[in-house]
Amino acid sequence: MMNAIQVSEPGDISVLEYVQVEKPVVAPGKIVVKNAFSGVNFIDTYFRTGLYPTTMPTLLGREGSGTVAEVGEGVTDFKVGDKVAFLTANNSYAQYSLVDPTMVAHVPDSIGLDVAAAILLQGLTALTLTTRSYLVKKGDIILVHAAAGGTGRLLVQLCKYFGATVIGTTSTEEKALLAIESGADHIIYYNREDVPTRVREITGGRMVNAVFDGVGKATFQGSFDSLARCGTLVSFGNASGKVPPIEINMLSKGNITLLRPTLFFYITTRQEFTEASQEMFNLIEKGAIKFNICEVFELPRAADAHTFLESRKTTGKILISID
Ligand code: NDP
């Protein structure tokens, strides 16, 4: 048996149960990882609340780090004892995870297991958004919502690295300082300022080439209205709720490109995952992106981790530590 967090019905944080469940048994083509840390992401709250439906009961957690405990038949890239980080399907808030090696990375010696658990999901999201969804280039002006959040701070750093001017939105002055520290050139307080009006002022009427919007419902229209002609709106999350259905003809107003990407469809094959994670490790080694771990909770306190995330307190990554 092992300790894990399980959800038996959708709901608020009270549905996160600290339980004992069967330890996973290795299967051909898979590996079992003894987890050291699990990364907490907004997507975990979507599975908990039922915004993203899944079969119940379910474990939670889409990423983690640890050491390989068992290797299934046919797996050649990993051996027992290897230090790894992985993306997975809802099972990393647990002492052990059965994972598909397609999305497992060897962790370089220079990177600790805490950082390793913090970088894959948000890091690869920020990387694929800025290089696959919209190719950020020198001279662009980019609007990044929730610029002091976990994914937001990485987006700001990457947009700056690729040569863009960045306008970041945050809810507080304290968070604005963190967004500026990450490289944001301008800040909009989106809970009290009209975003398109401020974008018009800041850009002298040029507006922005692209918006990275992980806030969703509350910001969608303002993001759309902040775009320059032929601009790109990358709507990639629902922190404030799901974006309501849209009228497709709205895109003809300025020939707008609208995307709703999901990381997992950019890194479906072993080659895609390896290329993207290698690209990211290189960016870390060059110092182009820095990760900030803002809180670590022990496994039985997973509910506190969700409360923290949903209360808008994040300024980087939340981890769960696992014995
Ligand atoms: P963050 O650390 O960015 O936290 C979310 C931030 O959103 C908050 O800090 C807050 O910043 C802002 N926010 C605005 N309105 C709300 C609200 N009503 N409730 C809570 N937060 C709000 O989280 P993550 O980096 O983990 O995720 C950011 C977004 O990216 C999420 O929507 C997530 O689903 C998405 N995502 C999408 C992926 C994909 O593949 N498409 C992959 C990974 C993440 P402030 O106080 O400044 O407003």
Side-chain angles (χ1 to χ4, degrees):
M1 301 296 281
M2 66 168 182
N3 299 324
I5 298 295
Q6 183 173 270
V7 174
S8 301
E9 55 176 334
D12 61 18
I13 54 155
S14 65
V15 302
L16 294 169
E17 307 160 295
Y18 180 60
V19 292
Q20 288 240 306
V21 294
E22 294 282 339
K23 191 179 148 197
V25 177
V26 77
K30 309 274 187 206
I31 61 175
V32 172
V33 178
K34 182 176 190 314
N35 294 324
F37 293 94
S38 176
V40 178
N41 293 287
F42 241 98
I43 195 169
D44 307 336
T45 69
Y46 305 153
F47 282 111
R48 190 204 75 216
T49 60
L51 179 68
Y52 290 178
T54 190
T55 312
M56 299 279 174
T58 182
L59 302 185
L60 284 186
R62 308 284 291 190
E63 70 182 326
S65 68
T67 46
V68 175
E70 288 181 81
V71 177
E73 197 189 314
V75 175
T76 52
D77 291 353
F78 298 95
K79 59 182 190 320
V80 171
D82 280 356
K83 189 175 144 191
V84 292
F86 60 88
L87 294 175
T88 187
N90 289 347
N91 64 5
S92 67
Y93 293 11
Q95 286 180 300
Y96 292 87
S97 298
L98 179 69
V99 299
D100 186 329
T102 305
M103 284 195 264
V104 181
H106 287 281
V107 177
D109 287 341
S110 56
I111 296 179
L113 282 176
D114 52 350
V115 175
I119 57 182
L120 279 186
L121 204 139
Q122 291 179 347
L124 292 180
T125 298
L127 178 74
T128 53
L129 290 178
T130 52
T131 58
R132 276 70 157 172
S133 304
Y134 175 80
L135 186 61
V136 177
K137 49 196 185 307
K138 194 168 178 340
D140 278 350
I141 308 178
I142 307 287
L143 177 62
V144 176
H145 282 303
T151 309
R153 290 184 76 171
L154 297 172
L155 282 169
V156 171
Q157 292 178 66
L158 284 175
C159 289
K160 289 304 295 177
Y161 180 74
F162 295 131
T165 297
V166 177
I167 304 172
T169 63
T170 68
S171 61
T172 66
E173 278 80 5
E174 199 186 355
K175 285 189 169 186
L177 290 177
L178 294 170
I180 290 166
E181 193 183 279
S182 298
D185 301 282
H186 307 274
I187 295 293
I188 299 175
Y189 296 102
Y190 60 173
N191 47 350
R192 57 173 196 263
E193 295 183 310
D194 181 63
V195 174
T197 305
R198 287 284 294 123
V199 166
R200 191 171 301 283
E201 286 166 9
I202 292 166
T203 63
R206 180 180 146 182
M207 311 307 274
V208 298
N209 300 95
V211 183
F212 292 111
D213 186 345
V215 174
K217 188 177 176 182
T219 46
F220 182 82
Q221 189 61 48
S223 296
F224 185 83
D225 294 338
S226 298
L227 286 167
R229 182 171 61 86
C230 300
T232 299
L233 171 46
V234 184
S235 175
F236 67 96
N238 328 281
S240 68
K242 201 160 81 171
V243 176
I246 62 147
E247 165 60 52
I248 194 169
N249 281 351
M250 78 189 284
L251 303 179
S252 68
K253 189 179 154 228
N255 291 1
I256 300 306
T257 300
L258 172 65
L259 294 91
R260 201 331 184 165
T262 296
L263 168 64
F264 291 91
F265 290 108
Y266 284 127
I267 51 165
T268 303
T269 66
R270 177 80 187 142
Q271 188 181 346
E272 287 167 343
F273 173 81
T274 308
E275 277 173 13
S277 39
Q278 199 49 57
E279 232 172 300
M280 195 183 58
F281 287 133
N282 290 344
L283 286 164
I284 298 170
E285 276 166 2
K286 274 190 213 163
I289 41 176
K290 292 191 176 61
F291 287 82
N292 179 46
I293 295 169
C294 72
E295 280 295 328
V296 182
F297 296 87
E298 288 178 0
L299 184 61
R301 292 187 58 215
D304 293 336
H306 278 215
T307 301
F308 190 81
L309 184 59
E310 291 175 306
S311 64
R312 302 175 77 150
K313 289 186 184 144
T314 41
T315 54
K317 189 75 191 180
I318 305 176
L319 294 180
I320 289 178
S321 67
I322 300 162
D323 288 331

